[in-house]
Coordinates of all heavy atoms in Angstrom, one line a residue:
I1 N 28.1 -28.7 -9.1 CA 28.2 -30.2 -9.3 C 29.4 -30.7 -8.5 O 30.4 -30.1 -8.5 CB 28.3 -30.5 -10.8 CG1 27.0 -30.1 -11.5 CG2 28.6 -32.0 -11.0 CD1 27.1 -30.2 -13.0
N2 N 29.1 -31.9 -7.9 CA 30.2 -32.6 -7.1 C 30.0 -34.1 -7.4 O 29.2 -34.5 -8.2 CB 30.0 -32.2 -5.7 CG 28.6 -32.4 -5.1 OD1 28.0 -33.5 -5.4 ND2 28.1 -31.4 -4.4
A3 N 30.9 -34.8 -6.7 CA 30.9 -36.3 -7.0 C 29.6 -36.9 -6.5 O 29.2 -38.0 -7.1 CB 32.1 -36.9 -6.3
A4 N 28.9 -36.3 -5.6 CA 27.6 -36.9 -5.1 C 26.5 -36.7 -6.1 O 25.6 -37.6 -6.3 CB 27.2 -36.3 -3.7
N5 N 26.4 -35.5 -6.7 CA 25.2 -35.3 -7.5 C 25.5 -35.4 -9.0 O 24.6 -35.3 -9.9 CB 24.6 -33.9 -7.3 CG 25.6 -32.7 -7.5 OD1 26.5 -32.8 -8.4 ND2 25.5 -31.7 -6.7
A6 N 26.8 -35.7 -9.4 CA 27.1 -35.8 -10.8 C 26.3 -37.0 -11.5 O 25.8 -36.8 -12.6 CB 28.6 -36.1 -11.0
P7 N 26.1 -38.1 -10.8 CA 25.3 -39.2 -11.5 C 23.9 -38.7 -11.8 O 23.3 -39.1 -12.9 CB 25.3 -40.3 -10.4 CG 26.5 -40.1 -9.7 CD 26.7 -38.6 -9.6
S8 N 23.3 -37.8 -11.0 CA 21.9 -37.4 -11.3 C 21.9 -36.5 -12.6 O 20.9 -36.5 -13.3 CB 21.3 -36.6 -10.2 OG 22.0 -35.4 -9.9
V9 N 23.0 -35.8 -12.8 CA 23.1 -35.0 -14.1 C 23.2 -35.9 -15.3 O 22.6 -35.6 -16.3 CB 24.3 -34.0 -14.0 CG1 24.5 -33.2 -15.2 CG2 24.2 -33.1 -12.8
M10 N 24.0 -36.9 -15.1 CA 24.2 -37.9 -16.2 C 22.9 -38.6 -16.6 O 22.6 -38.9 -17.7 CB 25.2 -38.9 -15.8 CG 26.6 -38.3 -15.6 SD 27.3 -37.5 -17.0 CE 27.7 -38.9 -18.1
K11 N 22.0 -38.8 -15.6 CA 20.7 -39.5 -15.8 C 19.8 -38.6 -16.7 O 18.9 -39.2 -17.3 CB 20.1 -39.8 -14.5 CG 20.7 -41.0 -13.7 CD 20.0 -41.2 -12.4 CE 20.6 -42.4 -11.7 NZ 20.0 -42.6 -10.4
E12 N 20.1 -37.3 -16.8 CA 19.3 -36.5 -17.6 C 19.8 -36.5 -19.1 O 19.3 -35.7 -19.9 CB 19.3 -35.0 -17.1 CG 18.7 -34.9 -15.7 CD 17.3 -35.4 -15.6 OE1 16.5 -35.3 -16.6 OE2 16.9 -35.8 -14.5
G13 N 20.8 -37.2 -19.4 CA 21.3 -37.3 -20.7 C 22.6 -36.6 -21.0 O 23.0 -36.5 -22.2
A14 N 23.1 -35.9 -20.0 CA 24.4 -35.2 -20.1 C 25.5 -36.1 -20.6 O 25.5 -37.3 -20.2 CB 24.7 -34.4 -18.9
S15 N 26.4 -35.5 -21.3 CA 27.6 -36.3 -21.7 C 28.7 -36.2 -20.7 O 29.7 -37.0 -20.8 CB 28.1 -35.7 -23.1 OG 27.2 -35.9 -24.1
G16 N 28.6 -35.3 -19.7 CA 29.6 -35.2 -18.7 C 29.3 -34.0 -17.8 O 28.2 -33.4 -17.9
V17 N 30.2 -33.7 -16.9 CA 30.0 -32.6 -15.9 C 31.2 -31.8 -15.9 O 32.3 -32.2 -16.3 CB 29.7 -33.2 -14.5 CG1 28.4 -34.0 -14.5 CG2 30.8 -34.0 -14.0
C18 N 31.1 -30.6 -15.3 CA 32.2 -29.6 -15.0 C 32.2 -29.4 -13.5 O 31.2 -29.2 -12.9 CB 31.9 -28.3 -15.7 SG 31.7 -28.4 -17.5
I19 N 33.4 -29.4 -13.0 CA 33.6 -29.2 -11.6 C 34.8 -28.2 -11.4 O 35.8 -28.3 -12.0 CB 34.0 -30.5 -10.8 CG1 32.8 -31.5 -10.9 CG2 34.4 -30.2 -9.4 CD1 33.1 -32.8 -10.2
M20 N 34.5 -27.1 -10.6 CA 35.5 -26.1 -10.3 C 36.0 -26.2 -8.9 O 37.1 -26.5 -8.6 CB 34.9 -24.7 -10.6 CG 35.9 -23.6 -10.2 SD 35.1 -22.0 -10.3 CE 34.9 -21.8 -12.1
S21 N 35.1 -26.0 -7.9 CA 35.5 -25.9 -6.5 C 36.2 -27.1 -6.0 O 37.2 -27.0 -5.3 CB 34.3 -25.6 -5.6 OG 33.7 -24.4 -6.0
G22 N 35.7 -28.3 -6.3 CA 36.3 -29.5 -5.8 C 37.8 -29.6 -6.2 O 38.6 -29.9 -5.4
F23 N 38.1 -29.3 -7.5 CA 39.5 -29.4 -7.9 C 40.3 -28.3 -7.4 O 41.5 -28.4 -7.1 CB 39.5 -29.5 -9.4 CG 39.1 -30.8 -10.0 CD1 37.9 -30.9 -10.7 CD2 39.8 -31.9 -9.8 CE1 37.5 -32.1 -11.3 CE2 39.4 -33.1 -10.4 CZ 38.3 -33.2 -11.1
M24 N 39.7 -27.1 -7.3 CA 40.5 -25.9 -6.8 C 40.8 -25.9 -5.3 O 41.8 -25.4 -4.8 CB 39.8 -24.6 -7.2 CG 39.7 -24.4 -8.7 SD 41.3 -24.1 -9.5 CE 41.7 -25.7 -10.3
R25 N 39.8 -26.5 -4.5 CA 39.9 -26.4 -3.1 C 40.3 -27.6 -2.4 O 40.6 -27.6 -1.2 CB 38.5 -26.0 -2.5 CG 38.1 -24.6 -2.9 CD 36.7 -24.3 -2.4 NE 36.3 -22.9 -2.5 CZ 35.1 -22.4 -2.5 NH1 34.1 -23.2 -2.2 NH2 34.9 -21.1 -2.6

């Protein structure tokens, strides 16, 4: 999950997202 595809995850009813690589790299 990244900033580009996070909105598509939210559209499925998710309460939020988790991001690892973006913050670490």
Side-chain angles (χ1 to χ4, degrees):
I1 295 175
N2 51 49
N5 60 34
S8 66
V9 178
M10 298 298 290
K11 285 179 181 177
E12 301 300 332
S15 295
V17 298
C18 305
I19 296 179
M20 177 186 291
S21 297
F23 286 112
M24 293 293 103
R25 289 177 173 165

